[in-house]
């Protein structure tokens, strides 16, 4: 009788700690908010690119902000005649690009990436907090980037473009397998110029390459688990001046509101959360 009671107690204790362990595993660690430095004000002015570079070329922080505001890269920035530059460059990059710092509506989404066609920027969020953002150059008028919900599929450190076998694409991450749409490093001239892909600076492409999750395939090459969700939204007016030139007159002209983020996400939310749960179970 004593042996039976001892055995029963052992089983109960084991089940208790097993359940407790499972509950702990399901509990997500609360994220510590990212500390960012906000500039005193955000306004913009026009500068001669070469003259501005002659003074600021060694200041990597200022250079990164100026390049991002003009939706370009270092090489193309140096070739431009005039550029727009923030008057106060003491803040972090996030304060000069349009995505909001927090979006409470996204609190249940572990990871998600957004590409904004009208502002030519991208952003990553974890549980509603902006983690990383930067410039992009998306599809040109005759080869527009498709919009809607996609998922990060497969990735390759180096691959060859399907449009031209002389184009080497670094940190390539496919999001639409049939059309061959991906984000990757490539020249950013400062306007939509790609064949439907999302061009990025190399630093940004490498970050997304490491941060996003790939799909998981079965032995039969069928998708078992989808990768990180990617929402591409909006449209670009190819016949108008570059949208970021509006910032000189109105520094908030391109701001993306929390309500706009919700609007772009809510029709996909149920699917995104279902795929996220699937990944937690099967990956």
């Amino acid at each position: 009788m004593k042996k039976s009671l001892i055995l029963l107690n052992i089983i109960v204790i084991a089940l208790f700690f097993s359940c407790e362990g499972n509950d702990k595993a399901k509990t997500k660690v609360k994220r510590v908010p990212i500390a960012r430095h906000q500039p005193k004000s955000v306004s913009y002015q026009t500068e001669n690119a070469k003259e501005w570079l002659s003074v600021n070329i060694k200041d990597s922080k200022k250079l990164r902000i100026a390049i991002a505001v003009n939706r370009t890269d270092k090489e193309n920035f140096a070739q431009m005649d005039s550029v727009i530059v923030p008057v106060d460059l003491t803040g972090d990059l996030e304060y000069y690009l349009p995505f909001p710092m927090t979006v409470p509506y996204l609190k249940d989404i572990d990871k998600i990436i957004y590409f904004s066609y009208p502002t030519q920027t991208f952003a990553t969020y974890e549980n509603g907090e902006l983690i990383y953002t930067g410039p992009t150059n998306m599809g040109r008028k005759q080869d527009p980037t498709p919009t809607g919900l996609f998922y990060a599929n497969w990735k390759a450190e180096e691959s060859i473009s399907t449009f031209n076998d002389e184009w080497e694409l670094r940190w390539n991450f496919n999001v639409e397998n049939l059309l061959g749409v991906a984000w990757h490093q490539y020249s950013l001239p400062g306007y939509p110029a790609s064949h439907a892909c999302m061009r990025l600076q190399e630093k940004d492409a490498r970050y997304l390459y490491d941060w996003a999750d790939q799909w998981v395939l079965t032995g039969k090459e069928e998708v078992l688990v989808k990768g990180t969700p990617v929402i591409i939204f909006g449209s670009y007016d190819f016949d108008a001046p570059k949208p970021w030139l509006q910032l000189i007159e109105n520094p908030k002209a391109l701001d993306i509101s929390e309500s706009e983020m919700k609007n772009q996400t809510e029709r996909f939310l149920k699917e995104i959360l279902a795929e996220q749960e699937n990944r937690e179970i099967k990956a």
Side-chain angles (χ1 to χ4, degrees):
M1 185 69 176
K2 281 187 177 181
K3 288 184 178 180
S4 298
L5 286 172
I6 292 171
L7 182 60
L8 181 61
N9 286 334
I10 291 172
I11 292 171
V12 170
I13 292 169
L15 285 172
F16 172 78
F17 282 106
S18 174
C19 292
E20 185 182 43
N22 288 337
D23 289 340
K24 286 180 179 178
K26 291 177 183 178
T27 302
K28 294 180 180 178
V29 177
K30 189 175 182 180
R31 172 175 296 283
V32 177
I34 298 173
R36 293 190 171 102
H37 184 77
Q38 185 172 359
K40 291 181 179 179
S41 63
V42 177
S43 60
Y44 299 84
Q45 61 190 9
T46 304
E47 297 273 4
N48 177 279
K50 292 179 177 59
E51 291 178 2
W52 188 87
L53 281 172
S54 68
V55 176
N56 298 285
I57 188 67
K58 293 183 179 180
D59 192 320
S60 59
K61 180 180 178 181
K62 289 183 178 180
L63 188 59
R64 182 179 179 225
I65 293 170
I67 288 171
V69 166
N70 289 275
R71 313 307 197 250
T72 187
D73 52 31
K74 186 176 180 179
E75 292 72 20
N76 282 286
F77 186 90
Q79 302 303 316
M80 294 177 174
D81 292 325
S82 62
V83 293
I84 64 167
V85 178
V87 175
D88 180 355
L89 281 158
T90 61
D92 291 334
L93 175 63
E94 293 81 3
Y95 291 100
Y96 306 100
L97 294 182
F99 281 95
M101 300 294 175
T102 58
V103 184
Y105 183 76
L106 306 179
K107 64 182 176 60
D108 294 324
I109 302 177
D110 293 343
K111 284 184 178 183
I112 189 167
I113 307 172
Y114 292 88
F115 283 88
S116 166
Y117 221 141
T119 68
Q120 294 292 285
T121 56
F122 75 89
T124 69
Y125 286 84
E126 293 182 13
N127 301 112
E129 182 176 7
L130 178 66
I131 301 299
Y132 195 92
T133 187
T136 182
N137 285 178
M138 297 168 67
R140 58 185 184 172
K141 189 173 185 178
Q142 58 268 49
D143 296 294
T145 302
T147 57
L149 173 63
F150 303 88
Y151 293 89
N153 294 329
W154 54 267
K155 62 183 182 179
E157 289 188 16
E158 292 185 10
S159 58
I160 302 300
S161 170
T162 55
F163 284 93
N164 188 324
D165 59 12
E166 294 183 359
W167 296 349
E168 294 183 4
L169 313 178
R170 290 181 55 77
W171 313 113
N172 189 51
F173 214 134
N174 176 274
V175 301
E176 215 300 330
N177 207 33
L178 293 177
L179 298 177
V181 177
W183 72 70
H184 55 74
Q185 181 276 330
Y186 207 75
S187 175
L188 274 67
Y191 53 84
S194 79
H195 294 76
C197 287
M198 296 82 81
R199 295 184 182 183
L200 300 172
Q201 296 178 22
E202 181 158 12
K203 178 182 179 181
D204 297 340
R206 176 62 191 271
Y207 176 88
L208 291 186
Y209 184 91
D210 292 334
W211 180 84
D213 297 314
Q214 297 184 86
W215 63 13
V216 177
L217 303 178
T218 67
K220 296 180 180 180
E221 297 298 303
E222 296 175 347
V223 179
L224 177 67
V225 174
K226 292 183 179 180
T228 299
V230 180
I231 293 179
I232 305 171
F233 67 93
S235 60
Y236 189 89
D237 187 348
F238 293 93
D239 299 318
K242 295 177 180 178
W244 35 98
L245 297 179
Q246 302 172 49
L247 298 174
I248 295 174
E249 296 296 327
N250 178 9
K252 296 183 178 296
L254 302 184
D255 282 7
I256 301 170
S257 66
E258 291 180 26
S259 61
E260 173 66 7
M261 297 291 288
K262 178 182 177 181
N263 181 54
Q264 295 298 336
T265 310
E266 59 184 347
R267 66 187 184 277
F268 304 125
L269 184 62
K270 185 176 180 180
E271 178 183 337
I272 290 170
L273 294 179
E275 292 296 345
Q276 178 173 289
E277 183 178 2
N278 185 52
R279 169 172 284 275
E280 292 171 353
I281 294 171
K282 297 181 179 178

